[in-house]
Amino acid sequence: MRDQESGGEARQAPGIDPSIRRGLTQPRLSRRDMLKYAGAGAGALGLSALASACGVQGATATSSKPGGVGSPSWWAKQKLHHKVNFGNWPYYIDVLKGKHPSLERLTQLTGIKVTYTEPINDNVPFYAKIRPSLQAKQYTGYDIVVMTNNSPPLGYLISLGWLVPLDHAMMTNFSKYAGPLVKNPSWDPGNKYTMAWQSGWTAIGYNSSMIKNPGTSVDILFDKKYAGKVGMMADPQELGSLGLLAIGVEPARSTESDWAKAAKKLQQQKSDGIVRAYYDQDYINHLKNGDTVVSQAWSGDIFQADLNHATSDLRLLIPHEGGMFWTDNMCIPMYAQNPKDAMTLMDYYYDPQVQAVVEYYDDYVCPVPDAQKVLLNPTGWAAETLHAMKPSIGLPYAKTANAATVFPDTPAVQASRPYYQYKSQEELTAWNNLFLPITQGS
């Protein structure tokens, strides 16, 4: 577990389940909660609050003009200031003795000093925080922020003209090393505004000691022989996406008619007594202790469970219908003060040596497949840094390198599915009105 109080990095401290460390559990839940609360109309993230926070009323998009911000001529005028402000999610970058080796190396190579902070715990509140500055055409305080593709704020930032189009002439590492999952993504064709930081899947976790032949389909979650032992997610976005996969529809291409059919199938699954419960982040505990034998799951949780001998029977299945693939994306807010420094940092993280160090700490889906080769045979700076990190992390580098949840094989890449991108608040409401009631009541 990464000690959130003292900054320690011991991945497998005695007596502490390693899945409690950052992994996917807490951040994925907090990001998804936005949709659940929005659909229910509850609390600070009810529908009206979400609409207000996201600036869907009264905002004016920045026009794209020849020679304007983000154009080749504009980028040609930008200079390095040797400083950059980078806002990220907590516990999402390499750490060694309270410092970030990858950031220190960037400074050594380029002279750019990085002010690295962790202000993002949920996409919507963070967006609400920076929106007033963007509306006022002022610097947000960040030159780089990291936003999730399946959360409405990233779409709002793009559609309102509040992200700086990237300088593709500076994306040399990205062009050479970025993997197919993060190049030309559906949420940002041509990587006009974003470069992936890290990614992951929502797929299926199962107990291999109880299920010897899981098959390759989402149908396992609807199999009556596992009645009362199946875990489903309470998050309406995850639940609805799985339902769509189960009826043979890709969520990103679905219609409201498809949503109704998916909801009907999920309601039948519930009525048949197949579902034990609809879980938030605690689904992993029920899968570990045997309350469930198969469950919707986040890829990072299953990787972390495998590090613990007591739960090493847990396996991840990315079904042939697809695993829901999410990505946290680096982007440059409009009015950034150090855009060229930001581009330098963003492309630097596509160096395989740098990504190898990040992945050894993070264990997310790596955007740079060649980082696997570095972990299997580290040299130079990466070897020195990994060697220094190993006592605190406690794993052989090959454990990360050979993890299918970090460096996926071709079938997993082909089975990755993007989420539906809501085109309006009405669509979000319609989705939640269908899938939220399934998770509630008897």
Side-chain angles (χ1 to χ4, degrees):
M1 176 183 181
R2 306 203 192 288
D3 187 340
Q4 299 181 8
E5 298 298 325
S6 64
E9 308 100 34
R11 190 184 300 211
Q12 298 190 73
I16 299 177
D17 187 327
S19 68
I20 299 174
R21 78 174 185 87
R22 187 187 187 279
L24 292 182
T25 304
Q26 178 56 38
R28 296 310 299 167
L29 175 67
S30 64
R31 299 176 213 191
R32 310 284 188 189
D33 270 351
M34 173 275 296
L35 292 172
K36 180 167 59 179
Y37 291 133
L45 294 182
L47 291 178
S48 60
L50 176 65
S52 175
C54 292
V56 295
Q57 298 178 351
T60 302
T62 301
S63 300
S64 177
K65 301 177 181 177
V69 174
S71 67
S73 59
W74 181 86
W75 275 113
K77 298 175 184 177
Q78 302 307 306
K79 300 182 182 301
L80 283 176
H81 299 149
H82 297 102
K83 60 182 179 179
V84 66
N85 292 310
F86 183 3
N88 204 347
W89 296 74
Y91 316 110
Y92 214 10
I93 195 172
D94 49 288
V95 177
L96 177 63
K97 297 180 180 178
K99 297 181 180 180
H100 307 299
S102 62
L103 291 177
E104 291 184 323
R105 181 171 183 255
L106 174 71
T107 301
Q108 293 171 359
L109 292 175
T110 67
I112 297 173
K113 295 182 179 179
V114 184
T115 300
Y116 183 83
T117 56
E118 299 175 334
I120 310 173
N121 287 291
D122 189 313
N123 288 283
V124 169
F126 181 74
Y127 177 78
K129 175 183 176 181
I130 64 175
R131 182 180 61 85
S133 296
L134 294 168
Q135 282 191 311
K137 300 182 179 182
Q138 297 173 350
Y139 182 41
T140 64
Y142 304 100
D143 302 301
I144 304 170
V145 296
V146 178
M147 305 295 285
T148 313
N149 69 300
N150 65 336
S151 179
L154 179 60
Y156 289 132
L157 286 169
I158 292 174
S159 64
L160 294 171
W162 284 344
L163 294 181
V164 176
L166 304 181
D167 183 2
H168 281 248
M170 293 185 68
M171 293 166 60
T172 54
N173 282 334
F174 181 89
S175 298
K176 185 176 182 179
Y177 296 116
L181 284 170
V182 299
K183 268 190 175 180
N184 192 33
S186 61
W187 60 89
D188 181 24
N191 295 97
K192 183 176 181 180
Y193 299 101
T194 68
M195 296 165 68
W197 176 252
Q198 301 280 282
S199 305
W201 284 286
T202 303
I204 299 170
Y206 69 96
N207 188 323
S208 63
S209 68
M210 302 295 292
I211 301 177
K212 302 298 183 182
N213 298 300
T216 65
S217 175
V218 296
D219 290 345
I220 190 174
L221 294 169
F222 297 83
D223 194 328
K224 291 183 179 180
K225 70 181 176 183
Y226 303 123
K229 290 287 188 175
V230 173
M232 299 294 286
M233 289 189 171
D235 177 339
Q237 187 179 33
E238 298 290 17
L239 184 66
S241 296
L242 188 284
L244 287 164
L245 292 175
I247 64 169
V249 175
E250 292 198 12
R253 300 178 181 179
S254 63
T255 65
E256 289 194 38
S257 175
D258 295 325
W259 304 351
K261 294 174 184 176
K264 183 177 180 180
K265 184 172 181 66
L266 290 165
Q267 183 60 57
Q268 187 63 53
Q269 177 201 35
K270 179 181 180 179
S271 299
D272 288 343
I274 294 172
V275 181
R276 182 183 191 276
Y278 298 89
Y279 298 105
D280 287 321
Q281 70 182 65
D282 60 337
Y283 83 88
I284 189 64
N285 296 323
H286 293 276
L287 190 57
K288 288 176 181 178
N289 67 23
D291 290 339
T292 60
V293 296
V294 61
S295 178
Q296 281 188 280
W298 291 317
S299 57
D301 286 339
I302 304 303
F303 178 89
Q304 291 304 319
D306 186 52
L307 301 181
N308 188 322
H309 177 73
T311 55
S312 60
D313 287 332
L314 298 189
R315 299 285 183 271
L316 184 76
L317 168 64
I318 298 178
H320 68 256
E321 295 91 349
M324 299 310 301
F325 188 75
W326 54 264
T327 295
D328 290 329
N329 302 271
M330 295 182 285
C331 46
I332 304 175
M334 192 62 73
Y335 319 114
Q337 292 184 349
N338 308 294
K340 191 166 185 176
D341 302 84
M343 283 298 319
T344 301
L345 183 150
M346 290 163 67
D347 193 61
Y348 162 80
Y349 274 96
Y350 278 78
D351 179 326
Q353 286 217 346
V354 177
Q355 271 298 317
V357 169
V358 173
E359 288 307 331
Y360 188 52
Y361 183 88
D362 268 1
D363 300 317
Y364 282 74
V365 178
C366 183
V368 179
D370 278 1
Q372 183 181 40
K373 300 175 184 177
V374 178
L375 284 164
L376 291 172
N377 185 29
T379 59
W381 170 81
E384 295 175 4
T385 307
L386 290 168
H387 179 73
M389 293 171 68
K390 188 173 181 179
S392 60
I393 292 181
L395 288 180
Y397 315 138
K399 185 74 173 180
T400 296
N402 292 325
T405 54
V406 179
F407 295 100
D409 56 17
T410 299
V413 172
Q414 293 174 339
S416 297
R417 301 286 181 263
Y419 290 84
Y420 184 82
Q421 300 295 309
Y422 303 104
K423 300 177 182 65
S424 67
Q425 191 62 45
E426 288 72 24
E427 283 195 344
L428 176 60
T429 302
W431 177 287
N432 285 322
N433 285 345
L434 281 167
F435 296 112
L436 264 179
I438 296 172
T439 70
Q440 301 166 352
S442 58

